[in-house]
Amino acid sequence: MKDSPFKMVLVLTIITTISALILAFVYAGTKDQIAEAYRQDFLKGLKVVLPGFENAPDTEFKEMKGYKVYIGKKGGEVFGYAVRAVSPKGYSGDIAVLVGVDTKGDILGIQILKHAETPGLGNKIEFKEWRDTFVGLDKSDNIAVKKDNGIIDEFSGATISPRAVCEAVNTGLDILSRFTVGGEK
Amino acid sequence: MKLKTFTSGIFENNPVMKQVLGLCPALAVTTSAINGIAMGLATTAVLIGSNTVVSLVNNLIPTKVRIPSYIVIIASFVTVVDLVMNAYVHDLHKVLGLFIPLIVVNCVVLGRAESFASKNGLLESLTDAFGTGFGFTLALFVLGAVREVLGNGSVMGFDLFGSGFKPSIVMILPPGAFIALGFLMVGYKYLDERKRVKRGGV
C-alpha cells in the first residue's frame, strides 16, 4: 500500500484530535479534585502553624504589601495570624515557610511549604523537632543560627538551609507584627 | 508462548537490568522503595494503554508517520496518568512530580510500542505490557529498597536499625543511584551467567 502524503496528514490529524478530546475530558473530570488536593495540602500546613483553628483561614485573609495574612479563629475569636514568607537564600532555590503567631506575637509554629534542599542534609529543616525550636519565640528574640550568634541550632554540614529558614521566619514576623499586640510601631 | 511473553519482560529482557532502558526515572526517583513502586506502576499504566492502542490502530497508520503517532498516543496516556495521580494520590505526585511527564520520553514505552505492539495482536501486546511493566517496577523497587536501606536505614518507611545506625547519605543522593545500580547489575549478570553455565553453555 502506498502512503500518500494526504493520508499521513489525515491520520496524524485524527490521532491528535482524539487525543485532545480525551485529554479535555480527563482534565475537566479531575480539575476540581486537583484544586481540592492543593487546598488540603495548604490547610495541612496551616494546621501546624495555627493549631486548632475552627474557621477556614485559607479563605479568611487580609492583603498586606502583596502578602496574604491568614487569620485563625477559635470560637469566633481571633487567636493567631499566619503568613507565607520566602527566602531566596536556600542551598538550591527558594525556601517557602509558613509562619504562625498568636495575638501577642509569639510563634505558634512554622512549616516548610517548599524547598529543594539536599536530602539527608538541608532537608532536616522539615523535621518537627527542629521546627519546634521556633515555637514561643517572638520578634525580640535573636532568630538566627548559632554560627551567626543566634539561638537556632544549625545542622552539622548544613548551615545554609537553616539560615535561609531563619531569614524567612524574620520576614514573616516583620509582616505579622503589624497585626499583633504592640505592632504598628 | 503466552507465559514466555510475560516473563521475558521480567527476567531475560528486564528493561532496566538487561536492556538498560529508562534509566532517567530509574536513577532519579528511586530514593525510597515506595517511590520506585509508584514510578514503576505509573509507567506500567502508560505501557498498558499505549501497547493496547498501538496494537489496535497500527494497520491504519502509515509507516512514515508511525513514530509521531506513537508519541502522541503515549503522551496522551502520560498526561492522563499525570492528572489522575495529581487528583487522587497528591502526596505521591508531589514526590514524583517532574518525572511523571518524563515518562513520555522513557525509551521503554516507545521501545515496546515500536518493537512489539506494532507487530503483534492485542492480547500479546497486553501481556507484553504487563510483563515489561512488572519487570520495570520490580527493578525500580529493588533499587529503591537498596538505596533506602543504606541511605536512610529504613524500608517502606519502617525504621530498621534504630537510632544507633548512621546511614550513608550518599546512597540517597544521585551518585548513590549509579553505585547501587552498578552493583545490582553485577548481581543480575552473575545469576544470569550461572544459569547459562548450568544449562551447559560456555
Side-chain angles (χ1 to χ4, degrees):
Chain A
M1 181 174 64
K2 204 176 167 304
D3 296 327
S4 67
F6 176 73
K7 194 186 166 197
M8 293 184 203
V9 172
L10 185 73
V11 167
L12 270 184
T13 312
I14 293 172
I15 291 179
T16 42
T17 311
I18 296 175
S19 291
L21 282 177
I22 294 173
L23 289 186
F25 183 73
V26 173
Y27 174 75
T30 53
K31 195 177 54 174
D32 295 341
Q33 186 68 33
I34 290 174
E36 179 64 21
Y38 276 112
R39 178 168 176 252
Q40 288 303 333
D41 225 30
F42 190 61
L43 279 180
K44 229 188 279 167
L46 280 174
K47 251 174 219 149
V48 173
V49 302
L50 294 173
F53 63 79
E54 286 163 358
N55 58 333
D58 62 319
T59 52
E60 273 185 62
F61 56 82
K62 283 182 187 152
E63 290 275 348
M64 176 88 190
K65 282 201 217 152
Y67 288 95
K68 281 177 183 168
V69 174
Y70 305 95
I71 300 163
K73 285 181 183 167
K74 211 186 283 178
E77 295 270 317
V78 175
F79 76 97
Y81 304 94
V83 73
R84 181 183 190 271
V86 179
S87 166
K89 291 186 185 158
Y91 189 69
S92 45
D94 290 355
I95 298 182
V97 184
L98 197 59
V99 188
V101 297
D102 63 15
T103 46
K104 292 201 290 295
D106 293 340
I107 294 179
L108 287 169
I110 69 165
Q111 173 76 341
I112 313 297
L113 290 181
K114 195 189 93 186
H115 77 86
E117 303 305 292
T118 319
L121 294 169
N123 82 334
K124 288 184 187 148
I125 55 173
E126 279 182 346
F127 290 5
K128 191 171 181 303
E129 302 85 61
W130 185 77
R131 284 189 285 109
D132 280 350
T133 59
F134 284 90
V135 173
L137 304 179
D138 64 33
K139 206 165 173 287
S140 62
D141 287 307
N142 188 7
I143 297 178
V145 289
K146 285 188 173 144
K147 223 179 223 172
D148 302 341
N149 302 316
I151 51 172
I152 301 294
D153 279 324
E154 67 254 3
F155 315 116
S156 56
T159 311
I160 294 173
S161 314
R163 188 181 281 156
V165 174
C166 290
E167 191 198 65
V169 170
N170 282 322
T171 315
L173 287 182
D174 260 356
I175 300 155
L176 292 172
S177 67
R178 288 154 204 276
F179 289 86
T180 51
V181 178
E184 306 281 355
K185 275 174 195 165
Chain B
M1 176 65 199
K2 277 284 151 50
L3 196 66
K4 189 91 187 87
T5 316
F6 181 69
T7 54
S8 147
I10 306 173
F11 302 110
E12 298 102 272
N13 275 319
N14 188 293
V16 177
M17 297 298 174
K18 196 67 182 253
Q19 302 186 62
V20 203
L21 290 177
L23 282 197
C24 167
L27 294 169
V29 304
T30 51
T31 51
S32 69
I34 192 76
N35 284 1
I37 292 182
M39 188 67 204
L41 290 181
T43 311
T44 308
V46 173
L47 254 173
I48 292 169
S50 67
N51 259 16
T52 307
V53 173
V54 166
S55 74
L56 284 177
V57 302
N58 186 55
N59 292 336
L60 311 170
I61 299 175
T63 355
K64 279 182 187 158
V65 292
R66 68 185 194 288
I67 300 288
S69 309
Y70 297 165
I71 287 290
V72 172
I73 293 168
I74 294 167
S76 308
F77 278 109
V78 169
T79 314
V80 168
V81 168
D82 187 35
L83 286 171
V84 170
M85 280 185 79
N86 199 353
Y88 296 101
V89 279
H90 189 70
D91 286 332
L92 208 55
H93 184 271
K94 260 201 314 201
V95 180
L96 300 179
L98 176 68
F99 296 98
I100 299 286
L102 280 179
I103 297 176
V104 178
V105 288
N106 189 331
C107 343
V108 175
V109 184
L110 183 63
R112 292 331 283 171
E114 163 75 7
S115 73
F116 195 93
S118 66
K119 295 174 190 130
N120 289 282
L122 173 62
L123 218 58
E124 289 274 279
S125 302
L126 258 180
T127 320
D128 178 70
F130 274 105
T132 308
F134 187 69
F136 189 67
T137 310
L138 194 68
L140 259 63
F141 165 71
V142 172
L143 186 55
V146 167
R147 291 179 65 193
E148 195 183 346
V149 168
L150 298 176
N152 203 28
S154 64
V155 72
M156 301 292 280
F158 294 109
D159 227 322
L160 286 181
F161 306 109
S163 53
F165 178 69
K166 274 257 178 279
S168 55
I169 289 156
V170 70
M171 289 312 285
I172 50 173
L173 297 179
F178 287 95
I179 297 169
L181 185 64
F183 278 106
L184 283 177
M185 276 179 171
V186 170
Y188 181 85
K189 194 77 192 154
Y190 173 73
L191 291 178
D192 214 34
E193 276 298 299
R194 216 172 57 165
K195 215 167 71 186
R196 201 172 60 86
V197 170
K198 252 189 194 157
R199 271 203 308 260
V202 186

Coordinates of all heavy atoms in Angstrom, one line a residue, chain B residues 6 9-10 14-15 40 44 47 128-139:
Chain B
F6 N 5.2 -12.9 28.9 CA 5.1 -12.2 30.1 C 6.4 -12.2 30.9 O 6.9 -11.1 31.3 CB 4.0 -12.9 31.0 CG 3.8 -12.2 32.3 CD1 3.2 -10.9 32.4 CD2 4.1 -12.8 33.5 CE1 3.0 -10.3 33.6 CE2 3.9 -12.2 34.7 CZ 3.3 -11.0 34.7
G9 N 9.8 -10.0 29.9 CA 10.0 -8.6 30.3 C 10.5 -8.5 31.7 O 11.1 -7.5 32.1
I10 N 10.3 -9.6 32.5 CA 10.7 -9.5 33.9 C 12.2 -10.0 34.0 O 13.0 -9.4 34.8 CB 9.8 -10.4 34.8 CG1 8.4 -10.0 34.6 CG2 10.2 -10.3 36.2 CD1 7.4 -10.9 35.2
N14 N 14.6 -7.8 31.1 CA 14.3 -6.7 32.1 C 14.7 -5.4 31.5 O 15.9 -5.2 31.2 CB 14.9 -7.0 33.4 CG 14.4 -6.1 34.5 OD1 14.7 -4.9 34.4 ND2 13.7 -6.6 35.4
P15 N 13.8 -4.4 31.4 CA 14.1 -3.1 30.8 C 15.3 -2.4 31.5 O 16.1 -1.8 30.8 CB 12.8 -2.3 31.0 CG 11.9 -3.1 31.7 CD 12.4 -4.5 31.9
G40 N 7.2 2.9 38.9 CA 7.0 1.7 38.1 C 5.6 1.5 37.7 O 5.3 1.2 36.5
T44 N 3.9 1.5 34.1 CA 3.1 0.3 33.6 C 1.8 0.7 33.1 O 1.3 0.2 32.0 CB 2.9 -0.7 34.8 OG1 4.2 -0.9 35.4 CG2 2.3 -2.0 34.3
L47 N 2.3 2.0 29.7 CA 2.7 0.9 28.8 C 1.4 0.2 28.4 O 1.3 -0.1 27.2 CB 3.6 0.0 29.5 CG 5.1 0.0 29.2 CD1 5.9 -0.9 30.1 CD2 5.3 -0.4 27.7
D128 N 2.7 -8.4 27.0 CA 4.0 -7.8 27.0 C 4.0 -6.6 27.8 O 5.0 -6.4 28.6 CB 4.4 -7.5 25.5 CG 5.7 -6.8 25.4 OD1 6.7 -7.5 25.7 OD2 5.8 -5.6 25.1
A129 N 3.0 -5.8 27.8 CA 3.0 -4.5 28.6 C 3.0 -4.9 30.0 O 3.7 -4.3 30.8 CB 1.7 -3.7 28.2
F130 N 2.2 -5.9 30.5 CA 2.2 -6.3 31.9 C 3.5 -6.8 32.3 O 4.1 -6.4 33.3 CB 1.1 -7.3 32.1 CG -0.3 -6.8 32.4 CD1 -1.2 -6.8 31.4 CD2 -0.5 -6.1 33.6 CE1 -2.5 -6.3 31.6 CE2 -1.8 -5.6 33.8 CZ -2.8 -5.7 32.9
G131 N 4.1 -7.6 31.4 CA 5.4 -8.2 31.8 C 6.5 -7.2 31.9 O 7.2 -7.1 32.9
T132 N 6.6 -6.3 30.9 CA 7.6 -5.3 30.9 C 7.4 -4.3 32.0 O 8.3 -3.9 32.7 CB 7.6 -4.5 29.5 OG1 7.7 -5.4 28.5 CG2 8.8 -3.5 29.5
G133 N 6.1 -3.9 32.2 CA 5.8 -3.0 33.3 C 6.2 -3.6 34.7 O 6.8 -2.9 35.5
F134 N 5.9 -4.9 34.8 CA 6.2 -5.5 36.1 C 7.7 -5.6 36.3 O 8.2 -5.4 37.4 CB 5.5 -6.9 36.1 CG 5.7 -7.6 37.5 CD1 5.0 -7.1 38.6 CD2 6.5 -8.7 37.6 CE1 5.1 -7.7 39.8 CE2 6.6 -9.3 38.9 CZ 5.9 -8.8 40.0
G135 N 8.4 -5.9 35.2 CA 9.9 -6.0 35.3 C 10.5 -4.7 35.7 O 11.4 -4.6 36.5
F136 N 9.9 -3.6 35.1 CA 10.4 -2.3 35.3 C 10.1 -1.9 36.8 O 11.0 -1.4 37.5 CB 9.7 -1.3 34.4 CG 10.3 0.1 34.4 CD1 11.5 0.4 34.0 CD2 9.5 1.2 34.9 CE1 12.1 1.7 34.0 CE2 10.0 2.5 34.9 CZ 11.3 2.7 34.4
T137 N 8.9 -2.2 37.2 CA 8.5 -1.9 38.6 C 9.4 -2.6 39.6 O 9.9 -2.1 40.6 CB 7.1 -2.3 38.9 OG1 6.3 -1.7 37.8 CG2 6.6 -1.7 40.2
L138 N 9.7 -3.9 39.3 CA 10.5 -4.7 40.2 C 11.9 -4.2 40.3 O 12.4 -4.0 41.4 CB 10.5 -6.2 39.6 CG 11.1 -7.2 40.6 CD1 10.1 -7.4 41.7 CD2 11.3 -8.5 39.8
A139 N 12.5 -3.8 39.1 CA 13.8 -3.2 39.1 C 13.9 -2.0 40.0 O 14.8 -1.7 40.8 CB 14.3 -3.0 37.7

